[in-house]
Amino acid sequence: MARASNFSVSCGSDRGWAFMAGGKGFDIRVGASLDPRTRCGIQFPLQDCTCHAWPFSLNNSRKSYSSSNRRLRVHMTLVDERAIRPLESVKPNHTLAYDLVQGNLVNWNYFMDKSIPDPPTAVLLHGILGSRKNWGSFAKRLAQEFPMWQFLLVDLRCHGESASIKKNGPHTVAAAALDVLKLVAQLRLIPRVLVGHSFGGKVALSMVEQAAKPLARPVRVWVLDATPGKVRPGGDGEDHPGELIDFLSKMPKEVASKQKVVDTLIQEGFSSEVARWVATNLQPANQPGSISSSGFSWIFDLNGISEMYKSYEETNLWKTVENVPRGVHMNFLKAERSLHRWALEDLRRIHVAEELASEEGAGVELHVLEDAGHWVHADNPDGLFRILSSSFLGLRNL
């Protein structure tokens, strides 16, 4: 058990740590400065709770605060400093690693009283071999333009920081979707927008298929450069994700440098863009107790990802698209220079679904992002931003 103790309301220091804790029977969010000289003997246990902290600065060190203020600025001493985690993400019940990017008009966290409604929330899902970091800068841009909204970025199972969270197989599109549904339920969020790139697009469709709740009505779903059914890789000379996964599985678990990985992939015929993107999945392989690094290791579970990609190729969600639930609006975005081939049959079925959905109080729509390959949020972020903005405009100034 971690215990935070010796709190006193004070603003004698202008720098320190912001501290958040929540658990059974209490809800507190405070700014704190580690200062053992200031004590008032007030203690509370942090057992069975979630807490994290990050550096902060006070804008007005002379201002006083009452105990009723939810944002107390205090001095504190920690009996167990392991309670401090300088991260913005939390992992309730070890479901998935995530970040919550909030607009500056959002004043909400999942520790708050359940009677307080959550702000409009969008969930952003990455593709295979990606991570929530892929959406980081784009989410910040959305939050700046739409300050009433918050954006939940997750690492899907076997990816990023979620790779260290034990998940039972099989590792499928449906299992990944259920993980996200569990996470939003634990955070007490009701997403109004789901955005999924490639594999993440099918995950978003599977979320709609699996659960009426915790999805809102209406909810807008964006499937970026993925079709509901068969995956058709591009032609000769284009990158094939299946081949990339197979090749990575043959590489050492630890490598000397990121550049060596990039060079190796390019020599094997993969594009420089994909090679550099894959290298973002490397982290320093520090030895316990050592400051120096012996190289880099992969942060993903490649065996699990291999299962996930096979599921991505095989999963057929056309039934969900052709029978869209009332209040759901599905948007498919095709990249002009897509890594995957969009068959004429796929386009025809989406257009037919558009007509059927409009008769049932739902919606299906096809968009084309010009001047972009498969990596839509990197190739043409401005164009993507303009297209996605339609989902957030309704609540922009509320």
Side-chain angles (χ1 to χ4, degrees):
M1 179 182 73
R3 181 183 296 274
S5 64
N6 303 323
F7 277 75
S8 70
V9 179
S10 174
C11 291
S13 174
D14 63 351
R15 302 186 69 84
W17 292 89
F19 177 84
M20 179 187 291
K24 297 180 179 179
F26 70 92
D27 174 8
I28 184 170
R29 176 174 180 166
V30 298
S33 174
L34 295 177
D35 187 349
R37 298 170 298 178
T38 308
R39 301 175 181 272
C40 67
I42 300 174
Q43 297 185 351
F44 64 88
L46 296 183
Q47 190 173 20
D48 297 324
C49 76
T50 303
C51 60
H52 64 289
W54 58 95
F56 81 106
S57 297
L58 299 182
N59 293 326
N60 184 355
S61 60
R62 295 181 180 275
K63 190 172 181 179
S64 61
Y65 294 82
S66 67
S67 59
S68 62
N69 193 314
R70 284 187 179 271
R71 293 191 173 184
L72 296 176
R73 287 181 170 85
V74 303
H75 288 279
M76 78 174 184
T77 300
L78 287 181
V79 175
D80 185 351
E81 294 189 20
R82 289 174 297 178
I84 293 278
R85 293 180 61 242
L87 299 172
E88 296 178 358
S89 57
V90 187
K91 305 185 183 91
N93 297 332
H94 299 284
T95 302
L96 291 173
Y98 72 89
D99 288 325
L100 192 60
V101 179
Q102 297 179 322
N104 60 17
L105 297 182
V106 176
N107 184 19
W108 180 92
N109 63 67
Y110 77 93
F111 300 134
M112 283 185 175
D113 187 277
K114 292 183 179 180
S115 64
I116 300 174
D118 59 288
T121 302
V123 179
L124 306 183
L125 305 171
H126 62 79
I128 212 76
L129 288 173
S131 74
R132 69 185 192 271
K133 293 179 181 178
N134 298 155
W135 282 110
S137 59
F138 196 88
K140 291 176 182 177
R141 181 178 178 181
L142 285 170
Q144 183 175 6
E145 182 70 16
F146 305 105
M148 290 291 296
W149 282 76
Q150 62 183 11
F151 302 87
L152 181 66
L153 286 59
V154 305
D155 284 342
L156 297 174
R157 60 166 55 203
C158 303
H159 292 75
E161 292 183 17
S162 292
S164 62
I165 302 173
K166 180 64 177 178
K167 295 290 183 183
N168 295 325
H171 300 297
T172 62
V173 169
L178 185 58
D179 290 341
V180 182
L181 287 170
K182 288 179 178 179
L183 176 64
V184 296
Q186 290 167 0
L187 295 178
R188 296 186 287 106
L189 296 174
I190 302 177
R192 302 195 186 189
V193 175
L194 305 177
V195 182
H197 174 240
S198 194
F199 178 91
K202 274 194 175 180
V203 172
L205 290 177
S206 184
M207 290 174 66
V208 174
E209 179 190 49
Q210 291 188 58
K213 290 185 177 181
L215 296 182
R217 296 291 187 272
V219 60
R220 299 184 71 89
V221 181
W222 288 88
V223 182
L224 307 183
D225 209 38
T227 59
K230 183 178 180 180
V231 176
R232 299 177 176 87
D236 294 337
E238 296 184 359
D239 294 301
H240 292 251
E243 294 177 2
L244 176 60
I245 293 170
D246 288 342
F247 183 77
L248 292 176
S249 67
K250 300 172 184 177
M251 294 188 69
K253 293 183 178 180
E254 290 192 13
V255 296
S257 70
K258 291 185 178 183
Q259 189 58 48
K260 185 174 181 180
V261 171
V262 171
D263 294 341
T264 300
L265 290 172
I266 292 175
Q267 289 173 6
E268 289 296 318
F270 297 101
S271 68
S272 59
E273 292 83 1
V274 166
R276 287 193 295 269
W277 165 67
V278 168
T280 63
N281 287 290
L282 289 165
Q283 63 182 356
N286 293 321
Q287 298 297 324
S290 173
I291 300 177
S292 62
S293 171
S294 60
F296 294 84
S297 61
W298 300 106
I299 60 175
F300 46 53
D301 173 359
L302 204 55
N303 290 331
I305 287 176
S306 179
E307 281 187 57
M308 294 171 75
Y309 186 73
K310 290 177 182 177
S311 172
Y312 173 59
E313 290 185 311
E314 298 167 359
T315 298
N316 189 327
L317 293 166
W318 275 112
K319 183 177 179 180
T320 303
V321 177
E322 294 170 342
N323 297 275
V324 182
R326 179 177 292 273
V328 175
H329 192 107
M330 292 186 179
N331 297 270
F332 291 89
L333 184 142
K334 176 186 180 300
E336 186 179 35
R337 304 190 306 274
S338 176
L339 173 67
H340 303 295
R341 284 200 292 261
W342 287 64
L344 291 177
E345 176 64 14
D346 294 336
L347 300 175
R348 186 194 68 80
R349 292 181 74 170
I350 289 176
H351 286 307
V352 171
E354 284 185 78
E355 299 177 4
L356 293 174
S358 62
E359 298 173 0
E360 298 296 327
V364 174
E365 192 171 353
L366 178 65
H367 310 259
V368 176
L369 180 61
E370 298 178 350
D371 193 27
H374 184 61
W375 318 107
V376 290
H377 39 334
D379 291 346
N380 188 358
D382 292 338
L384 180 63
F385 186 88
R386 286 193 296 270
I387 292 174
L388 292 183
S389 291
S390 63
S391 290
F392 310 107
L393 286 171
L395 292 172
R396 180 176 182 176
N397 297 313
L398 292 182

